Amino acid sequence: MISSGFTSLSRAMALGFVRDRTAVFFTVLFPLMFLVLFGGIFKDQSAPKVEVAQIGSVALLDQIPADGRAELDKVLQVDKTDDRAAALENVRKGDVDAAVEQDGQRIVLHYSATDQVKAGTVRGLFNSLVESGNLAAAGVTKPAFTLDTQQVEDESLKTIQYITPGLLGWAIATGATFGAALTLVTWRQKKILRRLRLSPVRTTSLVGARVGVSVGIALAQMAIFIGVAAIPYFGLRLSDSWWMAIPLVIAGTLAFLSIGLFAGAFAKTAEAASAIANLVVLPMAFLSGAFFPLEGAPGWLQAISKVFPLRHLVDSMQDVMVRGEGPGSALPTIGLLLAFTVVVGGIAAALFRWDDA
Amino acid sequence: MPSTIVVNDIRKFYGDVRAVDGVSFEVEEGEFFGILGPNGAGKTTSLEIIEGLREPDSGEVTVLGESPWPRNPRLLPRMGVQLQASSFFERLTVREQIRTFASLYGVPNRQADGMLEVVGLEDKAETRTEKLSGGQAQRLSIACALVHGPDLVFLDEPTSGLDPQARRNLWDVLRDINAKGRTVVLTTHYMDEAERLCDRVAIMDLGKILQLGPPATLVRELDAPTRISVERGAVTVDDARRLFDAAEVAEDEVSLTIATRNPAAVLATLAERNALHGLSVRGATLEDLFLNLTGREYRA
């Protein structure tokens, strides 16, 4: 009988969630949109070519032999023009990265400093072109030193690797926090809590049902996120101990549920509950590293971000899902999340009210 | 055999507001008991104390031989409660709703579906509860309160906000519940509802019970005049005053009303003069009783 209370309440909550299009949108589709968006935009993040306008004839460029030319074309796109004014104007507007002209023995490079990376690249490129030109002019065909460059397998994370755990963490935080806060408030407001209090159902069944449904939603979010990110177009590659993200997600869900219950304990209306939940979830999301890396953030911001459970969850999920750390690396985070749950959940339980009045 | 409900001198104050101020009564098994009074009289607070939702500041309550406070798991399965607002799980259909409530009491689905028939909602079983009319929602709410076959049913203003037809339908449902041997406690601010349904009523105002007894007895004891109305012009005011000097005569745009303690004589005289057009005869009601008890016109 107790278990049937748990089952039927879980069912009622799950149906209530699945049939709430807004809730489904904000907990599943909305974060997924970000995944598709970021995953798509930053998919081929190799350095883009430098675009240079060539004014008139520039012997340095024109005399490059065909094989050298092919090599150069990988990084440099040269558009020839005779209209000097237009070319300079294009540099000014940022349509091309630089304009180059030859004035006797002088190579003049016009560039704008707006994009400092591009500006640096274009200067370096032309420096080396001029130098190799000089060497050739001096008759040095076999230089004393040569530089051979070779790309190393990129150690930094590809965008999809980075954003999948981050956005998943954010989605779970949203789902669990709002789920708990809104259920608590609307059930109290609509006197469902009062009605349940007058039925023989146990409080543990009631809380258990909410936890069960939220964990179920979180695991579904995880399956959908990984499923979408792993399609070849996005190309997520999970590392060996990715499964450790499952207990992490469960522990994280509990922590966010406790935040939601805390918000729900204060709020009298669903609107107020959403506002309070947003007040916590939004800063937490921005400071979690879910949207952008926090490595460059100032120390005080880092410190604030570590107060929130989402930061720890996202870090730890990245470790086990894509950075290839061992399963043990998640254990301290799981402990931390559970401790957070006990403290905040304990406060929420102390503030809990069956009724408005 | 002790009474089903024993309430002994309960009080509940909120600051200066004496919501319930020394209320005592007993409800017998199988009785239809009404608590009647205007909004703010303390009906709902009294009911909540009896149900075990609130702790009284002082006084004792015994329900089916048990104390309802603190939350008493032995008592809860024997009570059925319908709350003022229809409290349903969001976005569930009527059938899912009642099955959910049924399962909280370990009642099988078949029995839950049968309850929908009792309240005449079987054709709405697949409708979401948000789409029900006020009367249908109240009937579902009552079905949810009854689904586990409780001995004792609490109904808090079950017909408020319903149109007259829906109220009458619901009254039939409530009478049936009581006829099956269940004890029913109902709060209402409708005088006519209490008169039609209740074996006994407690009239409450400002946290106290003013009077308690069967509605008919209370009204009879009031010894109020009977009001006889006929169409205006059937007899002139002057004639009426002359003919019935012991009665009070008043006239408005549509009718002439004679308030008398001797209705038979008045009716006979009017019949003789063939002045019975648009006749209506109204005895004293609980409304008159309330006016008499409080000196205030009854306003729900």
Side-chain angles (χ1 to χ4, degrees):
Chain A
M1 188 165 142
I2 276 60
S3 75
S4 77
F6 168 76
T7 316
S8 57
L9 287 177
S10 303
R11 200 177 119 78
M13 279 186 215
L15 283 175
F17 170 75
V18 172
R19 289 177 185 169
D20 184 350
R21 293 206 188 105
T22 321
V24 172
F25 175 79
F26 277 105
T27 45
V28 180
L29 290 181
F30 188 58
L32 203 60
M33 268 166 48
F34 276 84
L35 183 82
V36 170
L37 205 66
F38 289 165
I41 292 176
F42 303 118
K43 197 163 72 74
D44 304 304
Q45 224 185 7
S46 55
K49 279 189 191 174
V50 175
E51 246 185 287
V52 173
Q54 177 187 337
I55 303 161
S57 69
V58 177
L60 185 69
L61 290 173
D62 295 338
Q63 288 163 11
I64 296 175
D67 56 332
R69 187 82 205 192
E71 204 55 34
L72 195 62
D73 279 348
K74 284 183 184 168
V75 289
L76 186 69
Q77 184 191 329
V78 180
D79 302 319
K80 291 186 181 172
T81 174
D82 289 321
D83 187 346
R84 184 173 187 273
L88 292 182
E89 181 60 22
N90 280 344
V91 174
R92 214 167 281 127
K93 286 195 295 200
D95 290 344
V96 294
D97 299 307
V100 63
E101 60 183 331
Q102 187 159 12
D103 176 17
Q105 285 304 100
R106 259 179 357 124
I107 306 282
V108 183
L109 184 67
H110 306 270
Y111 66 92
S112 136
T114 325
D115 185 338
Q116 303 216 353
V117 177
K118 286 264 182 69
T121 310
V122 84
R123 279 175 58 182
L125 201 63
F126 275 88
N127 244 331
S128 74
L129 282 175
V130 169
E131 261 168 44
S132 54
N134 283 339
L135 286 173
V140 181
T141 47
K142 198 163 170 58
F145 300 100
T146 56
L147 181 66
D148 220 9
T149 58
Q150 210 161 36
Q151 200 181 359
V152 178
E153 186 53 49
D154 201 351
E155 272 297 304
S156 71
L157 293 175
K158 281 232 178 71
T159 309
I160 192 74
Q161 308 282 82
Y162 176 81
I163 61 168
T164 306
L167 289 175
L168 174 60
W170 172 54
I172 288 166
T174 308
T177 310
F178 281 84
L182 293 180
T183 310
L184 181 57
V185 173
T186 50
W187 282 28
R188 185 165 56 220
Q189 227 182 352
K190 295 188 77 185
K191 312 279 187 206
I192 296 172
L193 283 184
R194 171 188 280 222
R195 182 65 186 76
L196 290 175
R197 190 185 180 188
L198 289 169
S199 81
V201 72
R202 288 201 187 167
T203 346
T204 45
S205 302
L206 178 58
V207 176
R210 184 62 255 181
V211 171
V213 170
S214 284
V215 168
I217 292 172
L219 292 177
Q221 287 172 314
M222 186 177 177
I224 293 171
F225 265 68
I226 292 179
V228 170
I231 60 174
Y233 178 77
F234 296 114
L236 171 72
R237 293 205 341 251
L238 292 173
S239 39
D240 291 344
S241 5
W242 71 270
W243 48 269
M244 203 53 196
I246 295 172
L248 270 172
V249 161
I250 294 172
T253 305
L254 293 175
F256 302 129
L257 275 174
S258 69
I259 295 179
L261 292 177
F262 183 76
F266 275 112
K268 286 210 164 168
T269 62
E271 289 76 16
S274 295
I276 297 176
N278 257 325
L279 215 59
V280 180
V281 170
L282 275 183
M284 180 165 83
F286 284 121
L287 290 178
S288 67
F291 293 101
F292 40 83
L294 283 178
E295 278 74 24
W300 60 270
L301 212 57
Q302 298 261 14
I304 295 178
S305 78
K306 286 192 171 144
V307 175
F308 293 117
L310 185 55
R311 171 78 201 272
H312 300 276
L313 177 67
V314 167
D315 274 356
S316 216
M317 282 206 298
Q318 282 172 348
D319 285 349
V320 294
M321 285 172 76
V322 295
R323 284 206 171 99
E325 302 232 1
S329 71
L331 292 177
T333 306
I334 292 176
L336 195 90
L337 291 171
L338 293 180
F340 182 92
T341 308
V342 169
V343 173
V344 178
I347 299 172
L351 292 170
F352 175 80
R353 292 167 291 136
W354 287 94
D355 260 304
D356 282 328
Chain B
M1 177 88 199
S3 302
T4 300
I5 299 175
V6 182
V7 178
N8 185 17
D9 198 29
I10 54 169
R11 281 163 214 275
K12 184 85 190 171
F13 298 167
Y14 296 104
D16 287 343
V17 181
R18 302 181 159 216
V20 179
D21 191 6
V23 165
S24 303
F25 60 86
E26 295 190 4
V27 178
E28 301 304 326
E29 194 184 334
E31 198 176 7
F32 204 129
F33 188 85
I35 304 176
L36 172 65
N39 283 335
K43 306 184 297 284
T44 299
T45 309
S46 302
L47 200 65
E48 286 172 355
I49 291 171
I50 299 164
E51 290 164 348
L53 283 173
R54 290 176 198 280
E55 188 182 17
D57 294 341
S58 67
E60 294 94 46
V61 179
T62 314
V63 177
L64 300 162
E66 308 248 11
S67 168
W69 183 272
R71 195 170 182 245
N72 186 337
R74 281 188 309 279
L75 193 52
L76 295 172
R78 302 183 63 193
M79 292 179 4
V81 180
Q82 184 255 335
L83 299 169
Q84 224 171 67
S86 33
S87 37
F88 299 131
F89 297 101
E90 304 140 289
R91 292 176 286 278
L92 294 197
T93 66
V94 167
R95 190 191 304 283
E96 289 164 346
Q97 203 75 245
I98 194 150
R99 285 184 173 184
T100 303
F101 277 109
S103 75
L104 299 181
Y105 295 86
V107 169
N109 285 341
R110 196 169 27 81
Q111 194 178 328
D113 294 348
M115 200 62 224
L116 288 183
E117 243 166 273
V118 172
V119 295
L121 282 176
E122 64 274 33
D123 55 327
K124 293 277 168 193
E126 309 309 328
T127 307
R128 296 263 183 100
T129 45
E130 288 85 356
K131 299 208 167 129
L132 294 180
S133 73
Q136 290 164 343
Q138 288 289 33
R139 275 187 280 154
L140 176 59
S141 171
I142 289 167
C144 290
L146 295 173
V147 71
H148 56 293
D151 302 323
L152 171 61
V153 186
F154 293 100
L155 305 166
D156 198 359
E157 310 205 345
T159 64
S160 72
L162 299 190
D163 62 67
Q165 184 57 44
R167 280 179 74 204
R168 261 164 243 280
N169 290 344
L170 200 54
W171 286 351
D172 291 339
V173 173
L174 299 182
R175 276 200 203 93
D176 284 347
I177 295 166
N178 183 238
K180 290 189 178 115
R182 297 197 173 109
T183 310
V184 181
V185 177
L186 160 127
T187 69
T188 180
H189 55 234
Y190 296 117
M191 296 277 183
D192 55 341
E193 188 161 289
E195 269 182 291
R196 304 265 179 115
L197 291 174
C198 299
D199 297 322
R200 286 190 307 146
V201 290
I203 297 178
M204 276 192 86
D205 193 35
L206 304 172
K208 290 182 197 290
I209 291 183
L210 302 178
Q211 201 137 14
L212 196 160
T217 312
L218 294 181
V219 169
R220 209 171 298 133
E221 280 170 3
L222 180 63
D223 194 24
T226 306
R227 291 168 196 282
I228 297 169
S229 302
V230 289
E231 204 176 276
R232 181 187 165 126
V235 57
T236 66
V237 179
D238 289 343
D239 282 353
R241 292 217 166 104
R242 192 162 39 75
L243 288 165
F244 318 114
D245 54 351
E248 254 180 65
V249 177
E251 192 181 44
D252 59 22
E253 290 81 33
V254 282
S255 46
L256 176 100
T257 303
I258 303 151
T260 175
R261 281 167 207 284
N262 189 0
V266 172
L267 285 171
T269 311
L270 289 173
E272 268 168 37
R273 297 175 63 99
N274 198 17
L276 289 176
H277 295 290
L279 173 73
S280 85
V281 180
R282 199 172 67 90
T285 63
L286 285 174
E287 246 127 345
D288 300 305
L289 180 64
F290 187 84
L291 176 67
N292 184 263
L293 289 170
T294 64
R296 287 188 282 126
E297 197 73 52
Y298 184 83
R299 268 185 211 91

